[in-house]
Amino acid sequence: MFISTYENKLDKKGRVSVPASFRSYLSSLGYNSVVCYPSFTNSSIEFCPQSRIEKLSDSIDSLSPFEENRDTFATSILADSFQLNFDSDGRVVLPKKLLDHSGIKETVFFVGQGKTFQMWEPQKFSKFREEARKKAKTLRSNLKWS
Amino acid sequence: MFISTYENKLDKKGRVSVPASFRSYLSSLGYNSVVCYPSFTNSSIEFCPQSRIEKLSDSIDSLSPFEENRDTFATSILADSFQLNFDSDGRVVLPKKLLDHSGIKETVFFVGQGKTFQMWEPQKFSKFREEARKKAKTLRSNLKWS
DNA sequence: TGGGTTATTATGGGATTACATGGTATATAA
DNA sequence: TTATATACCATGTAATCCCATAATAACCCA
């Protein structure tokens, strides 16, 4: 599971350390890499294990070839995805496209989301977090949890 | 089950011993760690077995990947959670964020809650307990007991 | 019941390791 | 060349391990 938030730094080569706990979860799934793509709904970068994107690809594939949404999904996710490999010290290099999308400059916020995680520019995240807190207060009762 | 209350000390490295009975319950579930997060309603820190938070993660995951509330839930809960591992003597290190939230300085109050437990700053807990007693007095008659 | 013994637990500190982060050196591609 | 990617090495800090001691609880036996 990806939980917690971490704050790491981009060096001048564009590398960031992925938090050790995130890496060890990925490697427990058998991966030495992550897949990522720009979020549709906000300025974060979404990260997930390869298996998840495969599942998503399958569900797109099961849509009718004439389904209008098919190309939309395929284009907006799969085409904009990257596979990032870890270097020997557990770092990845972020593609410029994603840096632009996210607004990340020096500092990266890693945000655990369970089966996925995100990278955020710190200020943008703190705004988002505030909103999330407010909404969650009223919505929390809707979510089932024993 | 987590029952009873205990009082232990934070050392200068920020470590506390988790009561042996709590640890042995966790290890009977197969865990050598706990998950915790700041309480939504008071200044305590909530602790639960990893399985409980995984359930939550699953129910978030069952929402559509494009569901708007998805990120809201994940961010407001999973992002603020921590997985704490026991050292070889059964201690955990409390993150500064949680020390701030709880007001814990030297002494930690452990409060068993059945499937979960809490950590409290002692004075805050005794205030809370007082309030709870008063409320219970007026609510007692509402509780059905066949 | 009491007295002494053993286990278990809590706590402190030094030593060791892991991690994030910076740098250098070498290879690849445009 | 210039930029981009990969491997390797160095270092300070923080987390973790390991051992020593203190405090507490559990036990046994006279």
Side-chain angles (χ1 to χ4, degrees):
Chain A
M1 244 206 329
F2 301 110
I3 63 171
S4 266
T5 66
Y6 301 86
E7 187 179 327
N8 287 340
K9 295 228 156 60
L10 257 198
D11 65 20
K12 42 189 153 184
K13 291 188 191 173
R15 300 176 296 184
V16 240
S17 283
V18 175
S21 73
F22 288 7
R23 259 156 35 208
S24 79
Y25 177 58
L26 284 164
S27 84
S28 79
L29 299 175
Y31 296 110
N32 191 41
S33 64
V34 253
V35 172
C36 62
Y37 53 86
S39 163
F40 311 114
T41 55
N42 56 52
S43 69
S44 73
I45 311 170
E46 303 264 0
F47 287 76
C48 65
Q50 170 117 21
S51 55
R52 191 179 175 86
I53 214 84
E54 277 165 5
K55 202 171 148 194
L56 186 62
S57 162
D58 288 347
S59 69
I60 289 171
D61 211 46
S62 70
L63 294 173
S64 150
F66 310 112
E67 166 72 50
E68 193 190 348
N69 290 330
R70 186 196 167 92
D71 284 3
T72 309
F73 287 147
T75 302
S76 59
I77 308 178
L78 298 177
D80 285 339
S81 293
F82 298 85
Q83 185 185 23
L84 306 185
N85 300 313
F86 297 115
D87 73 9
S88 49
D89 297 313
R91 290 177 285 198
V92 293
V93 178
L94 294 177
K96 210 168 103 208
K97 233 187 209 173
L98 295 181
L99 289 178
D100 291 346
H101 168 81
S102 61
I104 290 172
K105 293 270 152 55
E106 286 196 345
T107 305
V108 184
F109 245 88
F110 291 79
V111 180
Q113 304 265 70
K115 313 256 179 188
T116 65
F117 67 91
Q118 304 172 335
M119 287 192 195
W120 283 86
E121 190 280 325
Q123 296 208 351
K124 292 189 172 160
F125 177 63
S126 63
K127 270 182 207 155
F128 177 78
R129 167 184 271 184
E130 271 315 303
E131 295 301 317
R133 253 196 211 127
K134 284 180 202 157
K135 278 190 198 162
K137 236 177 201 168
T138 58
L139 291 175
R140 191 165 287 138
S141 49
N142 298 346
L143 191 66
K144 280 172 207 128
W145 110 302
S146 53
Chain B
M1 266 230 297
F2 303 112
I3 57 172
S4 200
T5 66
Y6 302 86
E7 188 179 324
N8 287 339
K9 296 228 155 59
L10 256 198
D11 66 20
K12 45 187 153 186
K13 290 187 189 175
R15 300 176 296 185
V16 240
S17 283
V18 174
S21 73
F22 288 8
R23 263 182 292 146
S24 76
Y25 176 57
L26 283 164
S27 84
S28 78
L29 299 175
Y31 295 112
N32 192 40
S33 63
V34 253
V35 172
C36 63
Y37 50 90
S39 164
F40 309 120
T41 55
N42 58 51
S43 71
S44 73
I45 311 171
E46 304 263 1
F47 286 76
C48 65
Q50 168 131 5
S51 55
R52 192 179 168 88
I53 218 83
E54 267 166 7
K55 254 187 216 162
L56 176 67
S57 164
D58 286 344
S59 66
I60 288 173
D61 199 53
S62 69
L63 299 173
S64 154
F66 312 111
E67 163 73 51
E68 196 192 345
N69 292 330
R70 191 196 166 83
D71 285 12
T72 304
F73 284 128
T75 297
S76 66
I77 305 174
L78 298 174
D80 285 335
S81 296
F82 298 85
Q83 186 186 22
L84 306 185
N85 300 313
F86 296 116
D87 73 10
S88 46
D89 298 311
R91 291 176 286 196
V92 293
V93 179
L94 294 178
K96 209 170 104 211
K97 238 188 211 168
L98 295 181
L99 290 179
D100 291 346
H101 168 82
S102 61
I104 290 173
K105 292 270 153 54
E106 287 196 345
T107 306
V108 184
F109 229 89
F110 291 80
V111 180
Q113 303 266 50
K115 310 242 182 199
T116 65
F117 67 91
Q118 303 173 335
M119 286 192 195
W120 283 88
E121 191 281 324
Q123 298 208 351
K124 291 194 170 157
F125 177 65
S126 61
K127 269 182 207 157
F128 177 79
R129 195 206 295 248
E130 270 315 301
E131 295 300 318
R133 272 214 188 106
K134 282 179 200 160
K135 275 187 197 161
K137 228 174 206 172
T138 60
L139 291 175
R140 188 170 296 138
S141 49
N142 298 346
L143 188 66
K144 284 175 197 116
W145 176 268
S146 57

